[in-house]
Amino acid sequence: MSSNKSHAAAALAQALIRCRSVTPEEGGALTWLASQLEPAGFACHRLTMRDHDTPDVENLYARLGTGAPHLCFAGHTDVVPVGDEAAWTRPPFGGEIVGGVLYGRGAVDMKGGIACFLAAALDYLGTGGGLKRGSLSFLITGDEESVAINGTPKLLAWLKARGETLDACLVGEPASAEAVGDQIKIGRRGTVNARLVVHGKQGHSAYAERAENPVPKLARMIDRLSTTPLDQGSQHFQPSSLQATILSVPNSATNVIPGSARANFNIRYNDLHTRPGIEAWVRERCEEAAREVDARFALSFEGSGTVFLTEPGPLVDTMRAAIQDATGRGPALTTNGGTSDARFIKDFCPVVEVGLRNATAHQVDENVPLADLATLTEIYRRFIERYFAG
Ligand SMILES: [Zn+2]
């Protein structure tokens, strides 16, 4: 790794962090990115996407070349809010470097990752004499951290309508754990939210025989759902998980038995399940517990994010080799963690996720060591080289 390349990635990341692109604000981030890509020959498309009841969102699609194979780098320039700004020891949009560490919102999620791929691509195109075959593109959204409606799904539909196809996609989310490149994410669990309402009969707690208390009934149902394993995991996935996340009883009096009680659950499910299968499983557990305590309940589901897996194959092998070259270590293939826009891209082409360590993502004092930026840039650089060497 030449120090030039690592300096380049750090400077690019600094410039991006200084754009205040708190979701869904563009904040100058996409304009800046296009200004880096256009001189290198990329055709840049600024795409504002709209939908009912959601803010307009700006996105960027930049492509170099017209032929196959088409390698796409996907990411987002929007960042989550800074939270309590007074709690930060460095300004969240300052991009300060202190002691070899770059601070700022988006340092790891995921302006740092975008900067690394940009540095790697520009280096490849510059020192390698340009793209010898195929196409290289950036698919960058301003709506990943929010509802993800006016971002990647609409960009992909726009590409499809133009007749453009992708052959492989790298998502630069912070997918590493202890060291940069220790994991390639080859899939993600599905996610769904369940809302359970148990109905009772309101009344005076001193005359409980005239009321019907929904609270212990709900507690029994939560216990049943929380203690019944969904599965034991599969070859590439950890066991599915159901977590009670909200418990609420609309009541402000200590001597009133409430008329209803509700709970919300978030379920992360692996490739042994489908969305309809998960809904049926939750409903059956609720019905079992409800029979035991004679509970009347209503159950509804919301949220999207289906489970997917990119089966190990050429794309995974190419990335594995690039990581081995750059770090001297072999990565693990994993599917843990939360969802990302890879869940939309997997319908178009094989997709893998490799990025920075996620330790400080969304936190106060989000930061990235410059050494991590250097390592990731080197991984990406070798990946691009190997991909187009084909
Ligand atoms: Zn992210």
Side-chain angles (χ1 to χ4, degrees), residues 303-364:
S304 65
T306 52
V307 58
F308 76 92
L309 177 70
T310 294
E311 292 287 351
L315 177 61
V316 174
D317 290 346
T318 302
M319 181 54 85
R320 197 201 307 258
I323 291 173
Q324 184 75 45
D325 290 349
T327 68
R329 298 183 314 268
L333 305 183
T334 68
T335 55
N336 56 14
T339 62
S340 77
D341 278 354
R343 72 189 192 270
F344 305 119
I345 299 165
K346 55 98 171 142
D347 294 331
F348 289 75
C349 68
V351 52
V352 292
E353 298 180 59
V354 171
L356 295 165
R357 292 183 292 135
N358 55 25
T360 63
H362 296 203
Q363 294 183 11
V364 162

Side-chain angles (χ1 to χ4, degrees), residues 39 60 160 173 194 214-215 286:
L60 173 68
K160 195 174 183 182
E173 289 283 357
V215 175
C286 287

Side-chain angles (χ1 to χ4, degrees), residues 76 78 108-110 144-145 172-174 339-340 361-362:
H76 62 90
D78 61 323
V108 293
D109 189 8
M110 56 165 278
E144 197 277 340
E145 298 290 8
E173 289 283 357
T339 62
S340 77
H362 296 203

Side-chain angles (χ1 to χ4, degrees), residues 253-278:
T254 56
N255 61 349
V256 173
I257 290 171
S260 68
R262 72 179 177 97
N264 292 59
F265 304 88
N266 181 246
I267 302 135
R268 302 287 169 147
Y269 60 95
N270 62 30
D271 59 345
L272 298 172
H273 305 271
T274 61
R275 169 70 180 263
I278 284 293

